[in-house]
Amino acid sequence: MPEGFIPSHGGYQKLLSYQKAEIVYDATVYFCDHFIDRRSRTHDQMVQAARSGKQNIIEGSMASGTSKEMEIKLTNVARASLEELLADYRDFLRTKGHQIWDKDSKEAKYVRSLGKNRSYKSSESMRPIR
């Protein structure tokens, strides 16, 4: 077979979607461990939805070299998992009587700006300060 027959694939660590999904996973593990009973089904489901979002981006990236169709399917699974997780966070806020910010609120814009102004080092920034 000629060199380059299978296009390059992988490199998911450089994808912005993967970087954000990793932040969401780390933050979800932290959130669930601190605010949701570890024995509850909700805890497990939220962590698994965050993990699925991240892992399906990896799988899609790796599959991209041989199947664009599979890459798209796995990317859609990742999106669906993260949407499910968002619904869980909204449920938590609603049932605890907390405000749910509009995506264009000043609070939401401020939080989004944090991701643009800081470099994130995966789990390092989630470690407790001692």
Side-chain angles (χ1 to χ4, degrees):
M1 283 189 221
E3 189 176 5
F5 173 72
I6 297 176
S8 62
H9 58 283
Y12 59 85
Q13 298 96 334
K14 295 177 184 173
L15 294 173
L16 185 58
S17 60
Y18 173 78
Q19 293 168 8
K20 289 186 180 221
E22 187 176 62
I23 292 167
V24 167
Y25 174 77
D26 291 350
T28 298
V29 169
Y30 181 89
F31 175 86
C32 289
D33 285 351
H34 286 81
F35 299 106
I36 298 179
D37 187 329
R38 289 179 194 232
R39 297 167 293 179
S40 80
R41 185 168 175 181
T42 300
H43 183 289
D44 290 342
Q45 286 184 320
M46 288 181 73
V47 170
Q48 286 306 311
R51 182 183 184 280
S52 178
K54 180 176 75 71
Q55 295 302 112
N56 278 292
I57 293 169
I58 294 170
E59 288 183 50
S61 176
M62 297 308 295
S64 70
T66 55
S67 173
K68 293 298 179 188
E69 180 182 352
M70 186 57 69
E71 177 185 20
I72 291 167
K73 285 180 181 181
L74 289 165
T75 300
N76 282 330
V77 171
R79 289 181 67 201
S81 294
L82 294 171
E83 189 67 31
E84 176 187 339
L85 178 62
L86 179 59
D88 284 333
Y89 275 113
R90 286 182 177 142
D91 289 345
F92 178 88
L93 292 170
R94 189 185 68 256
T95 61
K96 302 293 183 190
H98 298 295
Q99 180 184 2
I100 298 175
W101 300 334
D102 179 74
K103 75 175 200 159
D104 293 322
S105 71
K106 66 179 181 181
E107 296 89 353
K109 287 179 179 179
Y110 173 74
V111 171
R112 282 197 307 273
S113 76
L114 293 175
K116 295 176 184 171
N117 298 331
R118 297 182 184 190
S119 66
Y120 175 74
K121 295 287 186 191
S122 188
S123 59
E124 287 180 25
S125 65
M126 299 304 289
R127 290 187 186 137
I129 298 172
R130 297 178 194 223

